[in-house]
């Protein structure tokens, strides 16, 4: 369990705390605490990948858990923001549906000993989604339109990255049964 993997696990541990502060009224500062937790989790996402690659700490655990931690964080935030009425349900469903589709393709690929690397589109989609969530979490009226613009950019990148992923990996979907 190296430092990069510990950061990934830490990100997973932060998710329930984020959800608790988003959906309860412990204090007048719940929203800002949830915002801080999300930002810290986002920073750990960047840090764990940088550390793993820079110091040759890439592990199978990290390859498996890092995308799960990202999906858990983003999906939890989107569900909370849908529950609070700040993100339309269709946006959340589209983004989560894309994640299920990609995970399914990756499972089929892994079953056929094919490794699928993340693409520029997928990475851009993740950055846009995290930026959208951060802007919306800030709940600053002056940033409302920016949040809406970034939300639609996220939707476009979600769809484009899914189509790109399917096109680039269509061979994975036509393997014969073993």
């Amino acid at each position: 369990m190296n430092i990069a993997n510990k950061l990934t696990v830490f990100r997973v541990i932060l998710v329930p705390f984020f959800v608790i502060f988003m959906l309860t009224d412990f204090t007048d500062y719940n929203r800002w605490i949830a915002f801080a937790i999300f930002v810290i989790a986002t920073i750990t996402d960047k840090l764990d990948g940088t550390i793993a690659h820079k110091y040759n700490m890439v592990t199978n655990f990290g390859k498996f858990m890092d995308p799960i931690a990202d999906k858990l964080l983003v999906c939890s935030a989107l569900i909370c923001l849908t529950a609070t009425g700040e993100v339309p349900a269709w946006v959340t469903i589209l983004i989560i549906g894309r994640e299920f589709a990609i995970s399914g393709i990756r499972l089929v690929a892994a079953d056929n000993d094919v490794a699928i690397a993340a693409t520029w589109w997928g990475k851009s989609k993740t950055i846009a989604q995290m930026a959208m969530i951060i802007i919306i979490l800030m709940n600053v009226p002056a940033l409302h339109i920016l949040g809406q613009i970034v939300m639609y950019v996220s939707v476009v990148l979600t769809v484009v990255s899914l189509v790109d992923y399917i096109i680039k990996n269509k061979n994975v979907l036509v393997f014969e049964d073993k």
Side-chain angles (χ1 to χ4, degrees):
M1 184 63 75
N2 62 40
I3 187 69
N5 290 341
K6 287 178 183 176
L7 286 170
T8 299
V9 170
F10 179 63
R11 188 162 68 256
V12 171
I13 291 168
L14 287 176
V15 171
F17 292 98
F18 168 80
V19 171
I20 288 167
F21 281 100
M22 270 301 294
L23 299 179
T24 62
D25 292 326
F26 286 135
T27 73
D28 293 337
Y29 303 103
N30 269 28
R31 180 61 169 244
W32 288 107
I33 294 168
F35 169 79
I37 291 169
F38 189 86
V39 169
I40 290 166
T42 301
I43 290 168
T44 67
D45 180 34
K46 175 65 178 154
L47 273 177
D48 68 17
T50 301
I51 290 169
H53 289 95
K54 184 175 181 178
Y55 297 105
N56 197 24
M57 294 181 176
V58 176
T59 64
N60 286 335
F61 177 83
K63 288 179 196 175
F64 175 74
M65 278 306 296
D66 184 65
I68 289 175
D70 294 345
K71 287 172 180 48
L72 186 60
L73 177 65
V74 169
C75 292
S76 296
L78 287 170
I79 291 167
C80 288
L81 290 170
T82 298
T84 61
E86 296 168 89
V87 170
W90 70 267
V91 170
T92 299
I93 292 166
L94 178 74
I95 290 171
I96 291 174
R98 183 252 185 222
E99 298 307 331
F100 274 108
I102 299 301
S103 294
I105 293 169
R106 285 193 171 186
L107 283 172
V108 171
D111 191 45
N112 289 287
D113 298 321
V114 175
I116 299 177
T119 66
W120 180 89
W121 288 109
K123 291 176 183 179
S124 298
K125 175 259 328 163
T126 300
I127 291 167
Q129 289 173 355
M130 289 183 172
M132 169 192 69
I133 292 165
I134 287 169
I135 293 166
I136 293 171
L137 283 173
M138 289 169 60
N139 202 22
V140 175
L143 296 177
H144 179 74
I145 290 183
L146 177 61
Q148 295 297 300
I149 291 168
V150 177
M151 180 177 67
Y152 287 111
V153 168
S154 295
V155 166
V156 168
L157 288 172
T158 296
V159 172
V160 169
S161 67
L162 174 62
V163 170
D164 177 66
Y165 204 88
I166 290 170
I167 290 169
K168 286 182 178 170
N169 299 290
K170 64 181 177 266
N171 60 321
V172 169
L173 300 174
V174 294
F175 276 97
E176 296 297 321
D177 287 336
K178 291 181 179 181

